[in-house]
Amino acid sequence: INEDDLIEALEDGSLLGAALDVFSTEPLPKESKLWELPNILLSPHNGGLRPDYVEMTVPIFIENVNRYVRGDELNCIIDKDLR
């Protein structure tokens, strides 16, 4: 995402709001105008991280590796056509 274009769209109202957890420069510099916008939600890049993240995801990964090796359909596939 071009952050300058995003800021412009948020300021002129062509985009009503945005939620971001990844930025061109990380961590987001304190002088970034994104900090000042009232119609944006900012979270750290690890915003979805949970204490049990590894325990939750490793079994899914291992199961999918096994499925891939067997030629089976993978679990947890994102349907990119549902945009």
Side-chain angles (χ1 to χ4, degrees):
I1 267 195
N2 180 312
E3 288 177 8
D4 291 333
D5 290 346
L6 175 64
I7 291 167
E8 182 179 333
L10 289 164
E11 288 179 327
D12 71 18
S14 58
L15 184 61
L16 297 178
L20 302 173
D21 79 337
V22 178
F23 310 99
S24 297
T25 302
E26 292 198 15
L28 185 63
K30 58 183 165 185
E31 61 274 357
S32 172
K33 193 154 187 180
L34 291 170
W35 291 112
E36 303 168 17
L37 297 172
N39 52 346
I40 194 165
L41 296 173
L42 304 175
S43 71
H45 187 75
N46 63 349
L49 196 58
R50 303 168 30 148
D52 60 347
Y53 178 80
V54 172
E55 290 82 7
M56 286 179 37
T57 57
V58 168
I60 295 168
F61 175 77
I62 292 170
E63 174 63 21
N64 269 346
V65 168
N66 290 327
R67 287 173 169 269
Y68 178 80
V69 169
R70 291 189 309 260
D72 295 343
E73 183 176 340
L74 303 180
N75 289 323
C76 304
I77 300 297
I78 297 171
D79 186 348
K80 295 179 182 178
D81 291 330
L82 293 176
R83 297 178 215 185

